[in-house]
Amino acid sequence: MRYSDNMKMIAGLLFILLIPVILHSQDYSEGKASPLFQSHEIVHLSIKADLKTLLSDIDDEREQHPAILEYVENEDTIRLDVQLRTRGNFRRKPDQCSFPPLRLNLKKKQVEGTIFEGIDKIKIVTHCRPNQKRYQQYLIREYLVYRAFNLVTDTSLRVRLASITYLDTSNNNEKEESFAILIEPDEAFEKRFNARRSDQKYLFPDSTSYVHMGKLAFFQYMIGNTDYAVTTQHNIMLFTLNSDQPPYSIPYDFDWCGAVNTHYAVPLPRFGTQNVTERIYRGQCRSMEEFMQIAAFFNSKKEDIFNLYNDYPLLSKREKRELLHYFKGFYDVINDERQIKVELLENCLK
């Protein structure tokens, strides 16, 4: 019994000593990303469809609607016959969004040799309401949150910002232009990591990849996001990268976080906060030493994250100042042992 206890203690000490090495050994893809997600340049697309019928089809039993997707590549116009369906939960409600998120269904044979090669279905985060600048900026901010998490760990969903021209065939091809976020599909993520989507339910956060979960919890705290839960897989997907290891928690859908700060986002009453920009740490408890090691890791990523926002041309100077100031608040906390104790150790999930 004593021998077993000693071995456990030694193993624990070794793990703590190895944390800096483990944290900095980035989780890299085994394969290449799909062509669509190998660039950060804005992709310009055109979608022609009966938008009146499509956008009004928002009930639980929704149908696929035919559409034509076009884009220009090497001076050639690529034309694809596709299907569209509305999706989402909150943003599918007509009192919240008149232009809900979409799911684009492609034909595998048609996309061979195109930027959509290897993609069957893809989620499109749309602009919610037309002709309103703030919704465009929400999209850009949410896109940058995905990009920031890519800097923290490659074991994350890739995204591509698109500029889409919608042509409404029900209204004399009336045009509507907007930004949108294209999100790496499950099957593309699985191929990149030789992984599979896990069907496990009700896992505690630390029953998933321990090191990755530590990074994820800090990141969600950094961006001011409480709108997620590993146990119920709310805005979280589980992927198994190795059958001998716990699954990875992969986050998505960040429009209710403080770094996006949509006007419609409200914190859950149980947190006792007034708005989503107030940070609440929702990660599992770790030792002070482990928290300090994760803090050191995030310090090593600070310059990259700040440069991402500071250099991004679609953010105004005011937005850059606001967001960098917001992230500075996170770094002030994780670089102060007293604040780590108050904000993280005392609020972590026991």
Side-chain angles (χ1 to χ4, degrees):
M1 185 68 178
R2 288 181 180 175
Y3 177 78
S4 177
D5 289 343
N6 287 337
M7 289 301 292
K8 287 180 181 178
M9 183 178 69
I10 292 169
L13 288 172
L14 283 173
F15 180 79
I16 290 174
L17 290 171
L18 285 171
I19 285 175
V21 177
I22 295 171
L23 285 171
H24 283 275
S25 59
Q26 187 82 314
D27 305 312
Y28 288 110
S29 312
E30 290 190 10
K32 284 186 177 180
S34 302
L36 181 63
F37 299 103
Q38 292 179 15
S39 170
H40 294 311
E41 291 184 9
I42 296 173
V43 59
H44 296 269
L45 306 173
S46 170
I47 291 178
K48 192 174 186 179
D50 180 348
L51 294 180
K52 182 179 180 180
T53 303
L54 169 66
L55 300 180
S56 62
D57 185 7
I58 53 174
D59 295 330
D60 290 338
E61 300 297 324
R62 303 181 301 284
E63 298 181 355
Q64 301 270 8
H65 297 267
I68 296 172
L69 173 68
E70 290 186 348
Y71 69 96
V72 175
E73 186 174 20
N74 298 326
E75 299 184 357
D76 293 327
T77 299
I78 309 298
R79 184 178 186 273
L80 303 172
D81 298 315
V82 300
Q83 299 279 328
L84 291 171
R85 181 171 69 86
T86 56
R87 63 173 193 87
N89 293 309
F90 179 85
R91 287 188 264 197
R92 184 160 46 93
K93 298 175 182 178
D95 57 333
Q96 298 298 336
C97 290
S98 59
F99 204 114
L102 301 172
R103 185 183 299 275
L104 177 66
N105 192 347
L106 299 147
K107 296 179 181 178
K108 287 188 176 181
K109 289 186 177 179
Q110 275 197 344
V111 299
E112 289 179 3
T114 74
I115 59 171
F116 292 98
E117 185 169 353
I119 294 175
D120 181 18
K121 298 179 179 66
I122 188 168
K123 292 178 181 178
I124 303 177
V125 182
T126 56
H127 53 290
C128 188
R129 293 194 178 279
N131 304 318
Q132 293 193 31
K133 184 178 179 180
R134 67 176 175 177
Y135 284 95
Q136 300 282 332
Q137 293 308 112
Y138 292 158
L139 271 172
I140 292 166
R141 286 182 174 220
E142 188 173 4
Y143 163 75
L144 288 173
V145 169
Y146 279 99
R147 289 279 309 277
F149 193 52
N150 293 158
L151 295 174
V152 172
T153 171
D154 195 37
T155 313
S156 53
L157 295 174
R158 301 278 180 90
V159 287
R160 182 86 179 263
L161 191 66
S163 175
I164 302 180
T165 300
Y166 300 93
L167 301 169
D168 187 0
T169 59
S170 69
N171 191 17
N172 297 317
N173 289 335
E174 184 177 74
K175 287 185 180 181
E176 183 176 330
E177 296 182 20
S178 179
F179 288 118
I181 305 171
L182 308 180
I183 301 178
E184 183 178 35
D186 295 359
E187 60 270 22
F189 181 91
E190 289 174 330
K191 186 175 181 181
R192 184 158 62 93
F193 284 97
N194 190 25
R196 64 175 178 81
R197 180 83 179 265
S198 174
D199 57 3
Q200 290 179 274
K201 302 292 183 183
Y202 307 112
L203 282 180
F204 287 109
D206 277 353
S207 294
T208 68
S209 173
Y210 189 82
V211 171
H212 187 267
M213 193 64 228
K215 295 176 183 178
L216 172 58
F218 259 58
F219 181 77
Q220 298 280 30
Y221 180 69
M222 183 184 87
I223 64 172
N225 192 28
T226 59
D227 188 34
Y228 76 101
V230 175
T231 49
T232 57
Q233 293 179 39
H234 174 60
N235 292 335
I236 291 285
M237 294 183 290
L238 299 179
F239 286 90
T240 301
L241 276 61
N242 187 314
S243 59
D244 298 329
Q245 297 176 358
Y248 280 64
S249 297
I250 307 300
Y252 63 95
D253 202 351
F254 299 106
D255 66 315
W256 280 44
C257 78
V260 178
N261 197 22
T262 58
H263 74 278
Y264 54 76
V266 292
L268 293 175
R270 64 189 174 95
F271 294 127
T273 53
Q274 298 301 308
N275 58 66
V276 293
T277 58
E278 294 182 54
R279 291 186 172 93
I280 296 289
Y281 185 71
R282 296 196 60 206
Q284 297 295 108
C285 290
R286 307 283 173 96
S287 68
M288 173 60 84
E289 188 167 6
E290 287 178 287
F291 274 138
M292 293 292 288
Q293 295 291 357
I294 301 171
F297 172 80
F298 270 80
N299 280 325
S300 74
K301 297 294 180 181
K302 180 180 178 180
E303 184 177 359
D304 290 338
I305 292 170
F306 275 50
N307 286 343
L308 170 67
Y309 281 83
N310 202 38
D311 296 341
Y312 201 71
L314 295 180
L315 289 178
S316 67
K317 290 182 179 179
R318 180 188 61 78
E319 284 180 299
K320 290 176 182 179
R321 286 196 303 268
E322 172 192 319
L323 287 164
L324 294 180
H325 178 75
Y326 185 62
F327 293 145
K328 182 180 179 297
F330 161 77
Y331 278 98
D332 287 344
V333 170
I334 69 168
N335 284 292
D336 184 324
E337 287 192 41
R338 185 188 64 80
Q339 289 198 67
I340 289 178
K341 182 179 180 181
V342 172
E343 300 294 334
L344 306 186
L345 273 173
E346 293 184 6
N347 290 314
C348 60
L349 300 176
K350 307 296 189 293

